[in-house]
Amino acid sequence: MRLMERFFIMKTTVYLWFSVIVLFCAGIQIMFTTGTLQAQSVEAVTIGTEAPKSPFRMPLKWESTSILVSPVSDEKHTIVSVKDPTIVRYNNLWHIYATVYSTSSRTWSMVYLNFKDWSDAPKTKLTHIDVNPNLTGYHCAPQLFYFRPHKKWYLIFQSQQPQYCTTDDLSKPETWTKPQDFFETKPAGAPHLWIDYWVICDDTHAYLYFTGDNGRLYRSRTKIENFPRGMSNPEICIEGERFDVFEGNMTYKVKNTNTYLTLVEAIGPARYYRAWIADSLNGEWKPIPDAATWDKPFAGISNVTFSEGVTPWTEDISHGELIRDGYDETMTIDPDNLKLLFQGRDPKSGGEYNLLPYRLGLLTIKKSETESFNNTGLTQPQKGKIEIVHRLAMPENSRQLQEKDFGGYLMVYFKDQTQSAYMAVSRDGYTFTDLNNGQPIFEGSQLAEQKGVRDPHITRGPDGGFYLVMTDLHIFGQKAGYRDTQWQRPEEKYGWGNNRAIVMMKSFDLIHWTVSDFRVDTAFPELGDIDCAWAPETIYDAAAKKMMVYFTIRYGNKNANIYYSYANEAFTKLETTPKMIPDIGGIDGDITKVGEKFHLYYVSDARILHAVSNQINKGYRSEPQRIDPETVPTEAPNLFKRLGSETYVLMYDVYGGRPNNMGFSETTDFVTYKHIGRFNEGAMKGTNFSRPKHGAVTYLTLDELKKITQHWHVDIKLDKP
């Protein structure tokens, strides 16, 4: 939680931060000069050297419930959010205190609720803390525990300074005592804005941890017999960049170990939790390597899926509390039974922080998770995973497929949040279901030089195979700890998002894949000093009898054009020097043959344009008008046909939307276009994913559709649409 004046500062900074990330896409150069947008290292912790062994099974994977607790107003309180929960299990009930923002009183306050089972939570009544005359006005961000030496319940909270109350009965909010300050005056060493207070005790001392929204975590302590009096002047115990060590901190003892865990909320493309461990509460805090970055958080949308039947409802995994193994001052957690009560919100929401519609949900650790990749050869892959192999054997029945052979659709897309690619399937071309329940299938950290991939494109070849190409680029590589600089090379010379490689993959069954990370600049030094190799796509050139790969190359941080080259038969490299498709100044090209004509959709000035030619890689005549109906920036056009009809669908990335989404238009004559909306805002539906970026659609036989839905345990209707 935070002071009122901070909200108006924060909303501008965070909103701009999110705006830039939404606008970042391969193929669009966007330049800002404001200092808040500089890349920040997520490994900026300076205390300690080598992290002790993680007490958790890694990597961490979580599953989220639907919304469990929502703001419900009454005749005295008009509230817009429920957030910052603290929770204990006591007398066979769950007890929660949480923050709410009231638009009627224009301040932050607290509520209480209890219930027996989680299924009861959505219908449980909220009791406002101001039933207690001691607790009217601004009080928020609570922490609840039972302090055994005093045989009292303690409620710690922010008022702005740290305060506490006590009671004998936590289920009766009206019984809390009058708030008391921890410090008589603001202590030396405390930050300008101190927030989010947390108490934890060992055998000898009680510690008070808090943040300052300034990249630092602070701690004070007092002897346990003096608690809550006698807190020392704060000292910095964790330090990093501002958005990497931000707020919402919590510290725990790990059951049956000598290890302590600290979590601090960070801000990336969305809010997430990073983790540190130490061997004492007064010791050195060291980041857990696989739980301290945006790509590999302790808990964030990058490692969270939603339970079966639950529509993804948040991308923030924000201020919450782990479910404890007990309720006393030691704050003990069971590493084999991790659950996190957290706040999240609709990704479409925005505006002033105090009006953001936060709700509460529950994360549960997923057990028996394994890595997605097995590099040991062509063996039987694990259900729901892909396998990287050294070579592919062409199936005996491989052939060039025709429209009459197909019975479904396959879409690939990526997300900025993971810098990885996904697959979704559809029987009718209208409703798409993600194969891996919204989790990556092609993990950028496993495939690319920069540890990130984007702009995936997939098509079928004359051998019936699937040809997948992607941009090798991680736009948050520095923040994720993969490099020391914002970009691979200096931005002032090579521009935003500079890279030099494309990822080339091939499969016959969508399960076994070959992969090649192909460096364009080293293979073809005659190209000179290229800025980037972005947004590759593939099409079969019948005249050349080869797969043609075409992509964007930029020079001098300003001149971007579409180039083409031909791949080898194994689809592991490009064999011919890339040549520019003439008379097309733009990026993100997409070529489709319709009849005897080649239709090229591409991007110029953040809008979709159209060109037509009789030849696959030259002779295009562009049309000046914008094709897509959007009024915000768009990119990444991709054309696919509605099977069994004369209708073509133009899909494009509405990256300027809030939130970003895919948009769709239909045409039968390539002159007039009918706008059919965006995913889940019109005819097109996404059942278990949100905010897809820069994708492509190809076709599946009904047998292929059945096999991959079985492999990924996806239940979709396979009867004739």
Side-chain angles (χ1 to χ4, degrees):
M1 277 300 304
R2 51 205 55 78
L3 256 179
M4 291 294 294
E5 63 259 29
R6 195 181 122 246
F7 292 128
F8 301 100
I9 298 171
M10 271 301 300
K11 73 164 187 176
T12 302
T13 301
V14 174
Y15 210 69
L16 185 54
W17 172 270
F18 275 86
S19 299
V20 172
I21 289 174
V22 171
L23 289 170
F24 277 160
C25 358
I28 296 293
Q29 178 189 357
I30 303 168
M31 301 180 67
F32 289 84
T33 57
T34 181
T36 58
L37 301 179
Q38 299 303 310
Q40 302 166 339
S41 170
V42 295
E43 300 295 21
V45 178
T46 57
I47 298 176
T49 53
E50 182 180 355
K53 183 179 179 181
S54 170
F56 311 110
R57 297 185 182 95
M58 307 298 287
L60 295 170
K61 300 288 185 181
W62 301 85
E63 186 173 273
S64 175
T65 63
S66 58
I67 296 170
L68 295 177
V69 181
S70 299
V72 178
S73 300
D74 61 23
E75 63 277 5
K76 295 182 179 180
H77 308 87
T78 303
I79 59 175
V80 296
S81 60
V82 179
K83 58 196 303 294
D84 313 333
T86 185
I87 182 170
V88 297
R89 184 75 174 179
Y90 180 72
N91 279 349
N92 204 31
L93 291 173
W94 292 110
H95 301 263
I96 296 176
Y97 282 84
T99 300
V100 295
Y101 183 77
S102 171
T103 56
S104 52
S105 60
R106 297 184 180 180
T107 193
W108 301 91
S109 184
M110 294 184 286
V111 292
Y112 166 76
L113 64 154
N114 69 51
F115 48 87
K116 183 176 182 179
D117 299 310
W118 288 107
S119 59
D120 300 325
K123 55 182 179 289
T124 301
K125 180 182 177 181
L126 306 180
T127 299
H128 288 264
I129 200 77
D130 61 8
V131 297
N132 186 327
N134 293 319
L135 289 167
T136 59
Y138 172 65
H139 306 290
C140 60
Q143 183 208 11
L144 176 70
F145 61 90
Y146 184 74
F147 190 60
R148 291 174 296 170
H150 293 176
K151 298 182 180 179
K152 294 280 186 181
W153 289 97
Y154 272 73
L155 190 67
I156 315 299
F157 49 89
Q158 169 183 321
S159 290
Q160 178 67 51
Q161 72 276 21
Q163 291 189 320
Y164 66 90
C165 297
T166 65
T167 187
D168 294 319
D169 189 348
L170 81 164
S171 67
K172 296 180 179 179
E174 66 271 19
T175 64
W176 289 105
T177 59
K178 183 178 179 179
Q180 301 292 317
D181 294 340
F182 276 92
F183 299 91
E184 292 182 1
T185 61
K186 190 171 185 178
H192 172 70
L193 180 71
W194 50 342
I195 60 171
D196 293 344
Y197 305 104
W198 185 272
V199 169
I200 180 173
C201 302
D202 59 19
D203 292 338
T204 61
H205 287 82
Y207 291 79
L208 176 67
Y209 284 80
F210 55 92
T211 51
D213 274 7
N214 60 355
R216 293 173 175 177
L217 180 70
Y218 300 80
R219 69 182 166 205
S220 300
R221 72 172 186 166
T222 187
K223 290 183 178 179
I224 201 163
E225 60 265 27
N226 294 334
F227 179 81
R229 301 299 182 187
M231 284 290 176
S232 62
N233 287 337
E235 64 178 9
I236 299 167
C237 58
I238 293 176
E239 188 170 16
E241 297 290 341
R242 182 188 184 199
F243 291 127
D244 297 333
V245 185
F246 197 60
E247 60 188 13
N249 55 285
M250 44 185 152
T251 299
Y252 301 93
K253 172 71 181 298
V254 180
K255 184 179 179 180
N256 298 326
T257 74
N258 293 319
T259 299
Y260 291 86
L261 169 73
T262 282
L263 305 178
V264 184
E265 184 175 339
I267 297 180
R271 289 178 178 249
Y272 67 104
Y273 267 106
R274 303 178 63 211
W276 290 258
I277 46 180
D279 56 10
S280 74
L281 288 171
N282 202 40
E284 297 178 346
W285 289 103
K286 304 168 186 178
I288 300 177
D290 290 329
T293 66
W294 168 254
D295 288 334
K296 295 181 178 180
F298 179 84
I301 199 63
S302 300
N303 66 348
V304 169
T305 57
F306 291 85
S307 299
E308 184 176 354
V310 174
T311 300
W313 58 276
T314 182
E315 292 186 353
D316 278 358
I317 306 299
S318 184
H319 195 136
E321 191 169 297
L322 290 172
I323 304 299
R324 290 172 247 160
D325 187 47
Y327 48 81
D328 65 27
E329 72 281 355
T330 63
M331 299 291 156
T332 302
I333 58 168
D334 182 354
D336 294 322
N337 189 29
L338 290 179
K339 295 179 184 290
L340 174 64
L341 184 65
F342 73 104
Q343 66 181 37
R345 63 183 175 93
D346 185 344
K348 297 178 183 178
S349 61
E352 295 181 3
Y353 185 87
N354 51 336
L355 298 180
L356 293 178
Y358 278 107
R359 277 90 170 110
L360 304 185
L362 183 70
L363 300 183
T364 300
I365 203 71
K366 296 174 70 174
K367 298 180 180 180
S368 302
E369 284 288 332
T370 59
E371 294 289 348
S372 298
F373 293 86
N374 179 351
N375 295 304
T376 59
L378 185 57
T379 58
Q380 182 62 34
Q382 182 185 1
K383 284 286 186 180
K385 306 296 178 183
I386 66 169
E387 185 173 6
I388 303 301
V389 298
H390 295 295
R391 63 184 62 87
L392 294 170
M394 185 181 297
E396 294 181 0
N397 59 348
S398 291
R399 60 181 176 86
Q400 187 163 10
L401 300 171
Q402 307 298 322
E403 182 177 348
K404 62 182 177 61
D405 298 311
F406 296 124
Y409 304 78
L410 172 71
M411 180 178 71
V412 292
Y413 65 95
F414 90 99
K415 286 191 174 187
D416 268 331
Q417 291 87 342
T418 61
Q419 302 290 288
S420 297
Y422 305 69
M423 291 196 294
V425 294
S426 174
R427 179 73 166 102
D428 61 6
Y430 287 93
T431 299
F432 284 81
T433 299
D434 188 278
L435 282 175
N436 203 25
N437 196 31
Q439 289 297 296
I441 289 177
F442 304 100
E443 298 203 29
S445 61
Q446 303 281 340
L447 300 172
E449 176 189 30
Q450 291 201 27
K451 306 299 183 182
V453 294
R454 57 200 296 113
D455 317 327
H457 178 271
I458 194 166
T459 193
R460 307 297 297 256
D463 55 0
F466 296 91
Y467 292 78
L468 174 66
V469 285
M470 297 178 282
T471 304
D472 178 333
L473 174 62
H474 196 311
I475 68 171
F476 309 121
Q478 182 188 34
K479 193 173 183 65
Y482 294 132
R483 56 178 178 256
D484 297 327
T485 55
Q486 182 176 7
W487 304 112
Q488 199 173 53
R489 295 170 292 166
E491 182 175 5
E492 58 270 19
K493 181 176 180 180
Y494 297 99
W496 179 92
N498 59 77
N499 78 314
R500 294 169 288 195
I502 62 174
V503 176
M504 305 172 66
M505 301 183 71
K506 183 179 179 180
S507 176
F508 286 104
D509 61 4
L510 298 173
I511 299 170
H512 300 90
W513 292 84
T514 58
V515 61
S516 171
D517 194 41
F518 183 76
R519 277 283 296 267
V520 176
D521 61 329
T522 55
F524 306 108
E526 61 270 28
L527 288 175
D529 201 11
I530 66 173
D531 290 355
C532 63
W534 282 343
E537 295 200 6
T538 306
I539 186 174
Y540 180 63
D541 185 343
K545 296 182 179 180
K546 288 181 177 291
M547 299 301 291
M548 187 182 89
V549 180
Y550 53 104
F551 52 97
T552 299
I553 293 179
R554 187 185 64 202
Y555 286 97
N557 197 12
K558 57 182 178 180
N559 297 317
N561 287 278
I562 301 169
Y563 287 69
Y564 71 93
S565 178
Y566 290 98
N568 65 337
E569 185 175 354
F571 204 66
T572 57
K573 64 180 181 179
L574 302 180
E575 294 184 319
T576 64
T577 301
K579 296 181 179 179
M580 185 174 71
I581 296 179
D583 304 319
I584 300 293
I587 62 174
D588 290 2
D590 179 81
I591 299 173
T592 305
K593 188 178 183 183
V594 180
E596 298 302 316
K597 301 286 187 181
F598 292 93
H599 293 263
L600 168 62
Y601 291 91
Y602 65 101
V603 174
S604 179
D605 296 326
R607 58 201 179 104
I608 311 299
L609 300 181
H610 178 230
V612 183
S613 177
N614 293 321
Q615 302 175 78
I616 196 170
N617 49 33
K618 59 183 176 181
Y620 284 96
R621 290 170 38 177
S622 294
E623 301 161 359
Q625 69 273 19
R626 182 174 186 170
I627 299 301
D628 66 281
E630 301 288 345
T631 58
V632 296
T634 54
E635 65 171 6
N638 177 250
L639 187 73
F640 67 94
K641 191 175 188 289
R642 291 213 184 278
L643 298 173
S645 76
E646 296 303 317
T647 299
Y648 286 81
V649 181
L650 181 66
M651 179 173 71
Y652 35 86
D653 184 346
V654 189
Y655 74 92
R658 299 292 181 273
N660 64 280
N661 202 343
M662 294 292 198
F664 300 87
S665 295
E666 291 182 333
T667 185
T668 57
D669 57 9
F670 299 95
V671 176
T672 58
Y673 294 82
K674 176 185 177 183
H675 181 42
I676 59 172
R678 305 173 186 175
F679 266 132
N680 297 321
E681 298 177 14
M684 304 296 292
K685 307 296 181 184
T687 65
N688 61 347
F689 62 94
S690 62
R691 300 189 68 176
K693 288 185 61 62
H694 198 131
V697 174
T698 191
Y699 313 102
L700 301 171
T701 67
L702 185 57
D703 185 58
E704 290 170 335
L705 182 59
K706 290 178 179 178
K707 287 180 179 179
I708 63 168
T709 53
Q710 290 172 359
H711 179 74
W712 268 277
H713 305 286
V714 174
D715 183 20
I716 66 171
K717 293 181 179 180
L718 295 176
D719 52 332
K720 189 173 181 179

